[in-house]
Amino acid sequence: YQYLLAPLFAAWAASDPVSASAEAAHILTGRARTNIFQEIAGSWVAKDPLKAMAWVQSLPDPAEQSMVCVAALIRWSDTDMKSAVKFALNVDLGEHSDTTIHSLFSRWAKTDLQGALLQLEEVDNARPQDYAFGGISDEWVQSDARAALAYVRAMKNNNVRAKLTRDIIGKWASSD
């Protein structure tokens, strides 16, 4: 039945996300509620990303909050990649953090490689930086592995440079 409710709640959320989310919280439980919350967040984030993300962060169940947040970030990235990525880098996504950062940067690299690289330079934490570059390099190695390798070789941090060089060479070797 959640598959029947999803488009209804998404449409409702497009015009009145507060009421839609309140009703979903009232009548649904478990995975069905999480799925509907993801639909609501996706509709809401297209209209008012900051209010949508504030609502997501107010969800009481950390696991549900994390899953809904990831869905909202992916939808947000369709219209404002930079803002979605910056938000993702500054929020706790629990067990979904690494894969979300990887996915967002991969999506960004498909449409705007230079924008993704500029944002990568602003990431100062090593773990998200690794996953961000992993997402970028997934796309970059397919289109221009030599340029990806040249970019990494010019990096100042020796540890990061060595790790990313191995990553690119590994992806490049497996793509041939």
Side-chain angles (χ1 to χ4, degrees):
Y1 75 99
Q2 71 187 8
Y3 303 106
L4 299 173
L5 292 176
L8 298 173
F9 273 98
W12 187 2
S15 62
D16 186 1
V18 174
S19 296
S21 62
E23 185 64 20
H26 178 70
I27 66 169
L28 300 169
T29 60
R31 187 68 188 151
R33 183 178 68 192
T34 301
N35 290 342
I36 298 302
F37 278 178
Q38 289 173 322
E39 291 293 327
I40 291 169
S43 292
W44 198 346
V45 81
K47 188 175 184 177
D48 189 340
L50 297 180
K51 283 186 182 176
M53 298 312 286
W55 169 73
V56 169
Q57 291 183 299
S58 76
L59 296 174
D61 177 5
E64 183 174 65
Q65 181 186 95
S66 178
M67 289 187 289
V68 174
C69 190
V70 169
L73 286 166
I74 297 299
R75 291 286 291 276
W76 190 4
S77 74
D78 290 340
T79 57
D80 187 353
M81 181 62 79
K82 187 173 186 170
S83 296
V85 166
K86 284 187 173 193
F87 191 92
L89 289 167
N90 291 299
V91 69
D92 180 13
L93 297 171
E95 66 185 58
H96 305 287
S97 289
D98 298 338
T99 56
T100 302
I101 296 300
H102 183 278
S103 176
L104 287 170
F105 274 89
S106 177
R107 290 168 54 94
W108 199 348
K110 284 180 185 177
T111 60
D112 179 13
L113 176 61
Q114 292 307 314
L117 289 170
L118 286 172
Q119 184 62 48
L120 175 68
E121 291 175 12
E122 294 180 24
V123 179
D124 56 3
N125 187 318
R127 186 176 177 106
Q129 188 179 53
D130 285 351
Y131 281 90
F133 190 80
I136 292 170
S137 67
D138 284 351
E139 299 306 318
W140 205 359
V141 167
Q142 292 177 26
S143 63
D144 191 351
R146 290 184 201 286
L149 195 55
Y151 176 86
V152 168
R153 286 190 173 153
M155 294 178 90
K156 294 177 181 143
N157 184 319
N158 289 333
N159 293 331
V160 172
R161 183 175 61 234
K163 185 206 174 300
L164 296 179
T165 299
R166 285 190 303 274
D167 184 47
I168 288 173
I169 290 172
K171 288 176 183 176
W172 194 4
S174 68
S175 70
D176 285 343

